[in-house]
Amino acid sequence: MVDEIFGHPRLAALYDLLDGERDDLDAYLGMVEEFGARRVLDIGCGTGAFALLLADRGLEVVGVDPARASLDVARRKTGAERVRWLDGDATDLPPLRVDLATMTGNAAQTLTDQETWHGTLRGAYGALRPGGRLVFETRDPARRAWEEWNREATHRVTPLPDGGAVENWLDVTDVSGPFVTFRWTLVFDDDGQVLVSDSTLRFRERAEVAADLEAAGFAVEDVRGAPDRPGRELVFVARRKTARPPAAPSAASVRGHGSAPRSAGQETPRRHR
């Protein structure tokens, strides 16, 4: 299921505004140049922020996301015709041969279902040319970022383009092992509508992620820090091996998935688009 923050038309239309500055994408743009990528697959592209930045630079870009409302927003943006938008997920992609696959904004953590997680890694493997790279970040569980996700730390009132405003905040509702579930509440001042979006993220340990990448046919080349969140996140750089990966593992658990944007200066659960 797609979380309301991405799948509800009213919320998807405001996502970029609520998400704030996208300084996290600078590191990804740097890696595009570092690896000389000309063809990029943006997994979890959402409202298209990163995909459109790449297209503006003349790259060939494919963006895939299961949230129809978010893709509708992406398709209405200037330059959207330069991107190939796919409605779905990375477990079932058409034939591609890209140089780089990305999952920005902690999108990897929204893949809480192990079957979907492993399927996404294998899908990225299949979409990449031999030697191509998959890059993504995930929060370091040791930093316990969810302890900062509460109303006191996240409450804000965001002005809207039409002159109205939306009051919004986050609350963690459950922490069970590697799973953190939280609720994002939004209250619109023009009509009083209250919308909520419940999400669950999975916090994977560094060794677990590395093992999953190896099992999917990747060699982990590097694990970096995220410049916009120093010491808080692990940025994996994995290269596609030439040999075919082994058979996909069976699902270990099935949970809902999702995330929400961050506010400047705060450590909040986010899935940048």
Side-chain angles (χ1 to χ4, degrees), residues 45-148:
C45 66
T47 58
F50 187 54
L52 290 168
L53 282 176
L54 297 176
D56 286 345
R57 287 160 171 76
L59 277 67
E60 182 181 326
V61 187
V62 177
V64 59
D65 199 282
R68 179 71 60 84
S70 293
L71 284 180
D72 287 344
V73 173
R75 290 181 173 118
R76 291 195 294 268
K77 291 183 176 180
T78 302
E81 71 283 354
R82 296 195 293 265
V83 177
R84 181 182 179 187
W85 306 103
L86 300 178
D87 185 353
D89 59 43
T91 66
D92 185 24
L93 294 167
L96 299 171
R97 192 176 175 84
V98 299
D99 305 310
L100 183 69
T102 63
M103 288 188 282
T104 68
N106 302 117
Q109 288 189 258
T110 71
L111 305 173
T112 60
D113 177 335
Q114 287 291 77
E115 186 173 18
T116 304
W117 165 242
H118 290 293
T120 296
L121 296 181
R122 291 176 60 85
Y125 177 98
L128 287 162
R129 62 167 175 77
R133 293 174 176 85
L134 169 65
V135 297
F136 62 91
E137 85 254 25
T138 185
R139 295 176 186 83
D140 184 349
R143 294 302 301 265
R144 302 176 65 85
W146 60 87
E147 293 181 349
E148 302 174 30

Side-chain angles (χ1 to χ4, degrees), residues 137-191:
E137 85 254 25
T138 185
R139 295 176 186 83
D140 184 349
R143 294 302 301 265
R144 302 176 65 85
W146 60 87
E147 293 181 349
E148 302 174 30
W149 302 345
N150 53 66
R151 176 166 179 154
E152 181 180 3
T154 64
H155 180 272
R156 57 180 171 154
V157 177
T158 304
L160 301 179
D162 62 4
V166 58
E167 181 184 12
N168 55 98
W169 67 89
L170 300 167
D171 287 300
V172 170
T173 57
D174 185 65
V175 179
S176 300
F179 300 101
V180 175
T181 300
F182 61 93
R183 170 167 290 182
W184 191 14
T185 302
L186 302 100
V187 183
F188 292 83
D189 72 345
D190 58 350
D191 57 9

